[in-house]
Amino acid sequence: MTDDQRSAGAPTLEDVARAAGVSRATVSRVVNGVRNVDPVIQEAVRQAVSVTGYTPNRAARSLVTRRADAIALVVSGAGVEPEAARGDSGTGASGEGDGGSGGSGSFTAQVFADPFFGRVVTGVVDYLRPRGMHPVLMFAETSRAREAVVAYLRQGSADGALVVSTHAEDPLPALIADAGLAAVLFARPARPVPVSYVDLAHQDGARLAAEHLLGRGCRRIATISGPLDVPAGEARLTGFRDTMARHGHPYIPIAEGQFTQESGESAMERLLAEHPDLDGVFAANDLMALGACHVLREHGRSVPGDVAVVGFDDSSAALACRPPLTTVRQPVEGMAAEMTRLLLDRLARPDGPVTSVIFEPELVVRGSA
């Protein structure tokens, strides 16, 4: 591009057409993603776009493609209004996140305080950015907010939604499905809906934790479960108990937590009071395991010398713990990227079938067990 062209303003379609040796209409078709253009011509146009520095006008492009080139990343809360939810401890179907009580400020504060959600955002952004697309972060913790999300999608402000539910009774996935809108969920919904999702083989992850504790020689093992009305919480407990039973341990003390550090501390206090001789603990996420380690230290128990502790997720909390947590890795960033890929595939092929992608867990051994 010449100095005269630069001084004249931003590059135009005509500039790209001249550089590529094709018509303006052909450039428009390539830029707007029309498929029936010869691959050789497409490559010539792309090179001309690079040379000229042309940037498509998104508003004009959306008139042609009827696409917003934006994706809604929705964190959806409980199925009740905040006033009715006070004291309710709804939690993340993903395996983390306390979608608890209070108003919008409380809900968003809890979301941003949880390392899980930051990992989801990282996976989504890293996948969309090279494709020239952007996530729009939305919160849907009330019926009015959920209606706003559905309306936002219906009016075409975003092409589809990536939904992370923080409560087992979340009605948003069903609302989106009933409206015929494109969406993908992070984690299997508590109630079946015809929407694609990504998830982890939670029971297999809990099996890895049980086998590791047994392999260390632990015999008086307890568990801090996640909330049992959440699929991930129930699956992790089931996998752990089944594995322990297969190794001759039919009874495992259980204290239910809410996927928060505070609930892990409370659960560990209860377990120590009822079973002071325990020598191993599996916590169903890292935040609860971090809380458990704090309580054990306060009671003069060394980790892992007196009590071995295994967490779940391999989040930032695992490295913040002292000693660093042995944990079951959930590849959240990769799962979020796959969730995004599934949504873009759905947008390209609206008539395709719904699907699920299940990721495999991995045990990460560190200092706590």
Side-chain angles (χ1 to χ4, degrees):
M1 189 175 178
T2 68
D3 291 338
D4 289 342
Q5 286 175 311
R6 290 190 185 94
S7 64
T12 65
L13 281 178
E14 287 77 8
D15 296 327
V16 177
R18 281 194 295 270
V22 299
S23 69
R24 183 186 186 283
T26 297
V27 172
S28 178
R29 291 166 68 197
V30 173
V31 168
N32 290 313
V34 178
R35 294 184 179 182
N36 59 342
V37 178
D38 184 275
V40 174
I41 295 177
Q42 289 187 41
E43 181 58 28
V45 171
R46 291 192 186 101
Q47 290 183 6
V49 167
S50 177
V51 169
T52 61
Y54 173 73
T55 301
N57 183 305
R58 290 194 176 276
R61 179 178 176 181
S62 66
L63 292 175
V64 176
T65 63
R66 297 186 179 181
R67 294 276 292 275
D69 280 346
I71 297 298
L73 175 55
V74 185
V75 182
S76 186
V80 293
E81 298 307 300
E83 292 78 9
R86 297 192 190 281
D88 176 62
S89 54
T91 53
S94 60
E96 293 189 61
D98 179 17
S101 61
S104 176
S106 174
F107 179 77
T108 55
Q110 289 163 351
V111 167
F112 285 120
D114 193 319
F116 164 78
F117 295 103
R119 296 177 67 191
V120 171
V121 172
T122 296
V124 171
V125 170
D126 287 352
Y127 191 88
L128 287 178
R129 181 181 291 156
R131 293 160 177 81
M133 302 182 74
H134 309 280
V136 178
L137 183 60
M138 305 183 74
F139 296 94
E141 73 280 21
T142 66
S143 60
R144 180 176 296 180
R146 287 187 288 274
E147 291 169 2
V149 168
V150 173
Y152 189 82
L153 295 170
R154 275 182 162 155
Q155 69 189 19
S157 298
D159 299 317
L162 303 168
V163 180
V164 182
S165 290
T166 64
H167 196 278
E169 298 302 319
D170 181 17
L172 184 61
L175 291 174
I176 289 176
D178 291 344
L181 299 167
V184 179
L185 311 179
F186 194 108
R188 174 174 58 90
R191 297 179 180 178
V193 291
V195 179
S196 296
Y197 65 83
V198 301
D199 207 345
L200 186 77
H202 296 283
Q203 292 194 30
D204 291 345
R207 173 182 55 79
L208 294 174
E211 291 176 345
H212 183 72
L213 288 171
L214 291 169
R216 282 184 54 89
C218 297
R219 291 298 178 266
R220 299 176 300 281
I221 301 173
T223 183
I224 301 173
S225 77
L228 300 182
D229 62 344
V230 172
E234 189 278 331
R236 293 177 191 182
L237 177 60
T238 297
F240 189 76
R241 294 177 69 182
D242 285 353
T243 303
M244 294 297 294
R246 288 173 183 270
H247 288 82
H249 298 267
Y251 170 70
I252 301 298
I254 300 167
E256 185 176 353
Q258 299 298 333
F259 285 139
T260 65
Q261 180 175 335
E262 294 76 15
S263 70
E265 292 173 354
S266 298
M268 192 70 252
E269 291 281 7
R270 296 196 301 273
L271 288 172
L272 279 176
E274 298 170 6
H275 306 278
D277 62 341
L278 61 81
D279 62 0
V281 174
F282 166 55
N285 84 336
D286 292 339
L287 285 174
M288 295 192 300
L290 178 62
C293 287
H294 285 174
V295 169
L296 287 167
R297 283 199 301 272
E298 289 175 354
H299 283 262
R301 310 294 178 89
S302 67
V303 177
D306 296 324
V307 182
V309 178
V310 176
F312 202 113
D313 287 327
D314 195 22
S315 67
S316 58
L319 296 178
C321 188
R322 291 295 176 268
L325 276 176
T326 291
T327 185
V328 177
R329 176 164 175 75
Q330 178 174 208
V332 174
E333 294 86 352
M335 294 168 70
E338 178 64 13
M339 175 175 64
T340 312
R341 186 195 70 77
L342 289 176
L343 180 59
L344 297 187
D345 188 62
R346 163 66 70 179
L347 294 173
R349 286 174 283 277
D351 297 328
V354 298
T355 188
S356 58
V357 177
I358 307 300
F359 284 71
E360 294 300 322
E362 175 187 358
L363 184 69
V364 180
V365 179
R366 297 193 180 99
S368 68

